[in-house]
């Protein structure tokens, strides 16, 4: 086996063996059961397949038996998950019409939101500007003549 194959991390994986088919009795009446009853039915009809550690390359079609956590944030900055305007929430409390000071596209360096009742248009994936704490989706804003009017 080549060196790169030996260095792959081992993951705790369930083998997902096929369980014997089981029949759950169906009621002839339309009844609603509680969450607890439904939960217990699922637990009582589940199968423990055990755990095994395998190479990552062999994990296709398997289920992790433990949570996996990243050792760092990626990307390593706060980014916008939607297109819209980046604002200071406190500005929107006092003024719903904000001057647009610029546009921030994904891939551009982080900018600073200028002081005053203003905003910056921001695209999905772009770094949220310094001093901004809120992104309002375009669907909740009217843009007109260099200003963004927040809808209520």
């Amino acid at each position: 086996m080549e060196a790169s194959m030996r260095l792959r991390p081992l993951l705790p994986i369930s083998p997902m063996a096929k369980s014997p088919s089981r029949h759950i009795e169906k009621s002839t009446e339309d009844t609603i059961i509680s969450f607890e009853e439904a939960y217990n039915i699922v637990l009582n009809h589940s199968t423990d397949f055990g755990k095994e550690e395998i190479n990552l390359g062999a994990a296709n079609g398997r289920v992790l038996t433990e949570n996996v956590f990243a050792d760092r944030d990626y990307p390593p900055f706060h980014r916008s998950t939607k297109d819209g305007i980046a604002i200071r929430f406190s500005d929107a409390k006092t003024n719903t019409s904000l001057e647009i000071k610029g546009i921030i596209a994904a891939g551009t360096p982080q900018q600073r939101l200028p002081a005053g009742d203003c905003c910056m248009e921001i695209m999905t994936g772009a770094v949220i500007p310094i001093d901004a704490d809120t992104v309002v989706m375009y669907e909740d804003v009217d843009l007109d003549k260099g200003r963004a009017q927040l809808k209520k």
Side-chain angles (χ1 to χ4, degrees):
M1 181 181 288
E2 63 186 46
S4 64
M5 292 298 286
R6 287 192 305 265
L7 297 178
R8 289 192 175 150
L10 295 178
L11 300 174
I13 300 288
S14 171
M16 292 295 294
K18 291 188 177 183
S19 63
S21 63
R22 295 185 179 163
H23 180 70
I24 298 174
E25 291 293 323
K26 284 188 171 183
S27 172
T28 55
E29 301 175 21
D30 287 335
T31 57
I32 297 176
I33 60 174
S34 70
F35 171 80
E36 290 78 18
E37 288 178 272
Y39 186 73
N40 286 327
I41 290 171
V42 170
L43 289 181
N44 290 333
H45 290 86
S46 64
T47 302
D48 181 1
F49 296 109
K51 293 182 185 181
E52 63 182 340
E53 288 189 355
I54 62 171
N55 287 319
L56 181 60
N60 189 26
R62 305 291 190 95
V63 175
L64 284 171
T65 60
E66 296 176 7
N67 291 330
V68 176
F69 297 97
D71 61 353
R72 67 185 72 85
D73 290 335
Y74 188 80
F77 52 81
H78 296 291
R79 63 186 174 97
S80 179
T81 58
K82 55 192 148 223
D83 291 342
I85 59 169
I87 65 170
R88 272 180 296 276
F89 186 74
S90 60
D91 290 348
K93 285 183 173 180
T94 59
N95 189 358
T96 60
S97 179
L98 306 170
E99 182 182 357
I100 300 170
K101 291 289 191 174
I103 299 174
I104 307 168
T108 59
Q110 187 175 35
Q111 299 181 35
R112 180 176 295 277
L113 184 62
D117 291 339
C118 63
C119 66
M120 297 180 84
E121 289 188 67
I122 190 165
M123 305 301 142
T124 301
V127 182
I128 295 184
I130 298 168
D131 295 331
D133 58 13
T134 305
V135 175
V136 181
M137 296 186 304
Y138 277 130
E139 292 83 355
D140 297 324
V141 177
D142 287 323
L143 302 178
D144 187 39
K145 298 178 184 165
R147 297 197 71 79
Q149 176 69 43
L150 302 175
K151 297 177 184 178
K152 288 192 173 190

